Amino acid sequence: MEGAKVLPLPVRHIGGELFPHPAPRLESEDTPRDECGVVAVYQLGPVSNPARWSLAEGQPVTRLLPRMLLDVQNRGQLSAGVSTFSPTRGELLSTYKAVGTVSEAFHLQDPETAERLLRQLDGQAGIGHVRYATCGTEEWAFAQPFERPHIKRQKWFAFAFNGQLANYRQLESEILADPTNYLARHTDTEVILHLISQVLSRGDHVPLRAICEAFAEKFDGAYSLVYLDAAGRMMVVRDPLGFKPLCYAVGDQLFAAASESVALLNLGFSPDEIHSLEPGCAVFIENGQWHVERYCFSQRRAHCFFEWVYFANVASTLDGRSVYLVRKALGEELAKLETVPLDEDTIVVPVPDTSKAAADGMAYMLGVPCVEGLIRNRYTGRTFIEGSNRREFRARLKYTPLREVLEGKRVILVEDSIVRSTTMRVLLRRMREVGRPKEIHVRVASPAIIAPCFYGIDMSTIEELFAPRFISSPEISEETARMMAEDLGADSLRYLPIDALVRAIGLDADDLCKACITGCYPTAWGQKLYQIALQSPRCEKPGRILEQPICSAEPALR
């Protein structure tokens, strides 16, 4: 990391007390990303059984927020934050956020400091956020929730969201068309903040639904969003196509919402109390009353298939489909296609941890052992969520091959996906050097990724992806697969076909966003950005096309 810059750390001031941010992060060349996790909690009335939620008698429900954020920590480890509301506190709406994991941000390893911090954030309602990926400078400034103070209670708000707006450059241009306007961060989060402010400027008592309707009218892209204002109003919103998961539950006067069901299950809700929020719907809470309302109707859905394959917690259920059972089914689909000889020296090895269910399903169908030939160092983080300048170094530290398990074996190595191929290349090299297997056959429990994602997952630019160097469509010939395997350092390579992926998930093919594996995007701006990416794949600055301030893409976006 020679030449990397250590960023200065701001200190968050709450209630007259200073809470230092955790250890500094190294600056990366990557631009901001917004694939994240969100949570929300609201005490609707007196809670009759605090023990159900592991709360002490009289303890405010906002104490649940760090615990919920830990359960969606898989969705982001760059920063964490919360905004809370209390009608009895001088600062009606208070926001705290910091760079680092949830444990680092909230000082959970130091109970005394954590207690002081959480006590000053106590309230009857709150929202929270974990953020994924890296950004160039002032990382803390990009952390969420974003808060906008105002003299009017209903115009003083905070929000956080999971997703990405494909048309945010167009929206940004509209804002900056007025020379008196200014944007400090140039992200879609900031654009959302200004749109909310614009809607609220219509009067002193603007209904929350008006904000949702403005979203539907203006936004092209993915957004699962939580919102809280100083009047005690809360809103939980899912975009009309349902790109990103969002669920909610109500019980014993407690309302809670989260990106994934596991956060609600571990909070104390039963599976029967947990519901996926339908696309185009929002939960509104005002004056202690809650209701679900549809604000926009869409004739199609676009659930991100990659959530089931990789991103979501394996214990979650998304839109009625268990993540674990889907991954197990992906492995079973791989088994149906297997052609390598199966004998006593054949073993199935998962790439920990997200591939384990698929490997188990495949091994069971094939009747061969599924063994842990790779041990993951759980303190290196997820390389998919790292800047490119650190990814290869971390990949070398991420897994330890076990020679006692691998030596002399025909290994069927199961991976959930190959994006840039950095981890796979390093892993195969390490397995051969340390493990000494006879053969390594890579099996990928998803189709080949051939196109960028413009809806929130860091699939980067076309030239950074592995598969487009060999193919431009989902079809892969035997000869092409052989060339790809040779390039990686494997004896053979097979991806899961799209039809098998759809069968494993169990939703209609038209209800899934498959843009990154087909090049067909579910929104107009997604398709437009892809065409721009195809025409000018190499820009002077790394990052996704929709974030480029320069290159030939720029005129087409205006």
Side-chain angles (χ1 to χ4, degrees):
M1 291 302 296
E2 185 178 353
K5 301 175 184 177
V6 176
L7 302 176
L9 289 179
V11 179
R12 185 66 172 99
H13 184 278
I14 296 184
E17 190 165 359
L18 298 179
F19 290 93
H21 282 210
R25 300 284 172 173
L26 291 173
E27 185 182 68
S28 163
E29 294 179 353
D30 286 356
T31 48
R33 305 288 188 259
D34 285 309
E35 170 64 87
C36 315
V38 296
V39 301
V41 65
Y42 204 112
Q43 184 173 337
L44 303 170
V47 175
S48 62
N49 184 17
R52 179 184 177 186
W53 319 110
S54 299
L55 288 172
E57 191 70 37
Q59 196 172 44
V61 297
T62 49
R63 292 298 181 95
L64 303 174
L65 289 171
R67 192 195 316 171
M68 296 174 72
L69 289 175
L70 283 170
D71 278 325
V72 295
Q73 182 80 90
N74 56 293
R75 306 186 69 83
Q77 296 107 47
L78 176 67
S79 65
V82 299
S83 295
T84 64
F85 164 75
S86 173
T88 61
R89 189 174 58 205
E91 193 174 1
L92 296 174
L93 198 62
S94 182
T95 298
Y96 171 83
K97 51 190 178 181
V99 172
T101 64
V102 176
S103 292
E104 291 170 335
F106 290 92
H107 306 277
L108 299 184
Q109 303 305 318
D110 181 354
E112 185 176 330
T113 303
E115 172 61 26
R116 288 203 322 272
L117 171 59
L118 293 175
R119 189 186 307 124
Q120 295 186 55
L121 291 166
D122 282 348
Q124 73 176 71
I127 59 175
H129 185 269
V130 289
R131 181 164 173 267
Y132 134 68
T134 54
C135 66
T137 58
E138 298 182 305
E139 290 177 329
W140 179 83
F142 295 103
Q144 297 182 41
F146 273 24
E147 180 184 339
R148 181 182 185 271
H150 198 281
I151 193 171
K152 300 285 187 180
R153 294 189 183 202
Q154 293 194 343
K155 297 182 182 182
W156 177 4
F157 66 88
F159 79 96
F161 94 112
N162 166 209
Q164 183 104 35
L165 303 183
N167 68 331
Y168 106 82
R169 292 302 299 273
Q170 177 199 40
L171 299 172
E172 180 186 70
S173 295
E174 291 175 0
I175 292 172
L176 296 179
D178 182 343
T180 63
N181 290 341
Y182 181 77
L183 293 173
R185 297 176 182 84
H186 297 280
T187 67
D188 48 2
T189 313
E190 188 176 18
V191 167
I192 293 173
L193 182 144
H194 287 296
L195 179 62
I196 294 173
S197 301
Q198 187 179 51
V199 174
L200 293 177
S201 69
R202 297 173 186 171
D204 289 343
H205 301 284
V206 177
L208 293 177
R209 180 187 170 93
I211 298 174
C212 297
E213 291 171 344
F215 289 171
E217 179 186 352
K218 286 280 193 179
F219 294 164
D220 178 310
Y223 52 92
S224 286
L225 182 145
V226 290
Y227 171 99
L228 182 65
D229 68 22
R233 301 187 301 174
M234 177 177 283
M235 178 171 66
V236 176
V237 189
R238 194 175 186 191
D239 70 69
L241 297 186
F243 282 98
K244 305 299 176 187
L246 193 59
C247 55
Y248 69 95
V250 183
D252 190 21
Q253 297 298 307
L254 180 68
F255 169 88
S259 290
E260 296 188 33
S261 64
V262 66
L264 304 181
L265 188 68
N266 289 345
L267 206 60
F269 289 102
S270 72
D272 293 335
E273 292 175 312
I274 301 172
H275 309 279
S276 287
L277 184 62
E278 284 292 309
C281 290
V283 180
F284 299 107
I285 301 178
E286 194 167 2
N287 300 320
Q289 302 296 314
W290 73 278
H291 70 282
V292 179
E293 189 174 333
R294 180 172 294 281
Y295 67 90
C296 179
F297 178 78
S298 174
Q299 292 185 335
R300 70 156 300 176
R301 299 286 185 265
H303 305 302
C304 172
F305 84 87
F306 209 59
E307 290 281 354
W308 284 279
V309 169
Y310 172 82
F311 225 90
N313 188 311
V314 72
S316 287
T317 297
L318 310 179
D319 294 301
R321 297 293 292 140
S322 161
V323 174
Y324 171 78
L325 292 180
V326 167
R327 291 180 185 170
K328 176 174 173 288
L330 292 171
E332 293 167 352
E333 292 287 347
L334 279 174
K336 296 175 185 177
L337 304 171
E338 195 49 68
T339 57
V340 301
L342 304 178
D343 55 28
E344 62 182 10
D345 287 331
T346 305
I347 59 175
V348 173
V349 174
V351 178
D353 287 311
T354 47
S355 304
K356 191 174 188 313
D360 286 342
M362 184 182 191
Y364 183 80
M365 289 283 287
L366 295 177
V368 299
C370 182
V371 295
E372 292 193 48
L374 298 168
I375 302 302
R376 181 183 174 191
N377 181 346
R378 301 185 184 280
Y379 302 98
T380 62
R382 299 175 95 171
T383 54
F384 179 56
I385 301 177
E386 285 289 340
S388 58
N389 58 335
R390 305 182 71 187
R391 199 171 286 116
E392 184 170 353
F393 173 71
R394 283 186 178 264
R396 292 201 305 270
L397 303 178
K398 192 172 182 180
Y399 303 110
T400 302
L402 300 183
R403 178 175 294 181
E404 296 82 356
V405 174
L406 301 174
E407 190 167 19
K409 299 296 185 180
R410 176 181 294 111
V411 176
I412 300 176
L413 183 68
V414 179
E415 175 65 296
D416 50 62
S417 58
I418 298 177
V419 181
R420 300 174 182 87
S421 78
T422 307
T423 297
M424 181 56 67
R425 291 174 190 278
V426 174
L427 180 57
L428 290 172
R429 191 162 59 245
R430 289 272 293 159
M431 287 178 69
R432 293 193 188 279
E433 292 172 354
V434 177
R436 298 178 181 174
K438 179 168 57 178
E439 301 169 5
I440 306 178
H441 301 271
V442 175
R443 300 296 179 257
V444 185
S446 65
I449 295 168
I450 62 172
C453 175
F454 301 122
Y455 305 116
I457 293 181
D458 185 16
M459 296 295 192
S460 198
T461 53
I462 291 178
E463 72 271 15
E464 290 183 85
L465 300 176
F466 169 67
R469 303 172 202 168
F470 302 90
I471 58 175
S472 59
S473 72
E475 302 300 324
I476 304 177
S477 68
E478 289 187 13
E479 176 61 20
T480 301
R482 185 194 64 76
M483 293 171 58
M484 296 171 80
E486 184 178 342
D487 187 75
L488 288 172
D491 290 284
S492 71
L493 171 69
R494 178 177 292 117
Y495 286 95
L496 195 67
I498 293 176
D499 58 348
L501 169 77
V502 173
R503 281 196 302 272
I505 294 177
L507 295 177
D508 190 281
D510 292 336
D511 287 342
L512 295 172
C513 176
K514 306 182 294 297
C516 63
I517 55 176
T518 65
C520 297
Y521 292 75
T523 71
W525 269 90
Q527 199 64 46
K528 181 183 297 188
L529 291 170
Y530 181 51
Q531 293 306 312
I532 294 170
L534 289 174
Q535 294 164 11
S536 55
R538 297 194 177 277
C539 298
E540 295 178 26
K541 182 178 178 181
R544 282 177 275 176
I545 289 292
L546 81 169
E547 294 171 338
Q548 295 294 343
I550 52 179
C551 339
S552 59
E554 186 70 1
L557 293 178
R558 289 191 170 179

